[in-house]
Amino acid sequence: MKNYPIHERLLVGVLLAMAAGGLDAYTYLQHGEVFAGLQTGNFILLGIHLTKDGFGGILHYLVPIFSFALGTILIRILQQRFEKNESLKNRQLFVLGWEILLIWLTALVAPLVPDMLASAMVSLAAAAQLQEFRKLKGGPFTSLMMTGNLRTLAESYWNALSGGDRTALKKGNDTLAIIAAFVFGAALTGNLVGHLGDRTVVISSLFLLVAVGIILLDHRKKAAVK
């Protein structure tokens, strides 16, 4: 069995998916029915309201879209910096820390600021996660958008069923775990938002903190071996 980097293993992927599902559920339910990471949904809503609402209504959907783009650019700059300077290590931990910080700031200021600003902060966090964590066991991976994962799930299970491909079966099982985790994160946030309000977003950060702990533990084990 191949020993993949810790941030590409299924457990970390599941935690990221739970966090992502929670972030999208949070912004949709608590901050004006927009999505933090699912920008396809925001583009659809933008198109629906394009001719119905004024500039204010359109801006409601443009803010998370542009915030997501900005978040992607910021993390790409960070990635380029790490690539050029080998002394800068633990990039995944830095990105997770940045994401957690944005989530906590959102929980703190959301009651005091407009919905658009709160959703923008969460979109920055979602973009960071998508840009940095793009592989699962060496293959393409997204913890934010389940359309591609659903296609992979169907293809993998069909390949396993029609050709007896055990590798495809394993890939299908892994993808199913990611989809289920995403739904679980959304469901948990959806059930708690009525009780916790703006603070519900912190739930997603708890999954990310567990991922941080797993990565740190792996680094310590490798350092002990050396």
Side-chain angles (χ1 to χ4, degrees), residues 122-167:
V122 183
S123 289
L124 285 172
Q129 180 171 309
L130 181 63
Q131 178 63 24
E132 181 60 30
F133 298 93
R134 300 169 68 179
K135 287 186 177 182
L136 182 70
K137 296 184 177 180
F141 166 67
T142 170
S143 59
L144 271 69
M145 296 165 285
M146 294 299 112
T147 303
N149 288 331
L150 179 59
R151 186 209 63 80
T152 299
L153 177 72
E155 180 186 54
S156 298
Y157 278 153
W158 174 251
N159 288 341
L161 182 64
S162 62
D165 188 342
R166 291 190 176 183
T167 301

Side-chain angles (χ1 to χ4, degrees), residues 70-198:
L70 175 61
T72 300
I73 292 170
L74 291 175
I75 297 304
R76 183 57 194 146
I77 292 171
L78 176 71
Q79 290 171 334
Q80 291 172 332
R81 176 72 181 273
F82 272 93
E83 289 169 357
K84 294 176 182 177
N85 186 350
E86 294 183 359
S87 67
L88 293 173
K89 298 179 181 180
N90 301 328
R91 193 176 73 197
Q92 290 80 28
L93 288 173
F94 188 94
V95 172
L96 285 173
W98 165 248
E99 189 177 356
I100 291 168
L101 176 62
L102 284 170
I103 289 172
W104 288 350
L105 284 175
T106 301
L108 183 65
V109 306
L112 309 174
V113 300
D115 283 339
M116 283 190 292
L117 181 55
S119 65
M121 295 173 67
V122 183
S123 289
L124 285 172
Q129 180 171 309
L130 181 63
Q131 178 63 24
E132 181 60 30
F133 298 93
R134 300 169 68 179
K135 287 186 177 182
L136 182 70
K137 296 184 177 180
F141 166 67
T142 170
S143 59
L144 271 69
M145 296 165 285
M146 294 299 112
T147 303
N149 288 331
L150 179 59
R151 186 209 63 80
T152 299
L153 177 72
E155 180 186 54
S156 298
Y157 278 153
W158 174 251
N159 288 341
L161 182 64
S162 62
D165 188 342
R166 291 190 176 183
T167 301
L169 178 61
K170 178 61 177 173
K171 185 175 182 180
N173 291 339
D174 289 346
T175 306
L176 180 60
I178 295 298
I179 294 174
F182 184 88
V183 173
F184 172 80
L188 182 62
T189 295
N191 277 281
L192 292 177
V193 73
H195 304 285
L196 300 178
D198 289 315

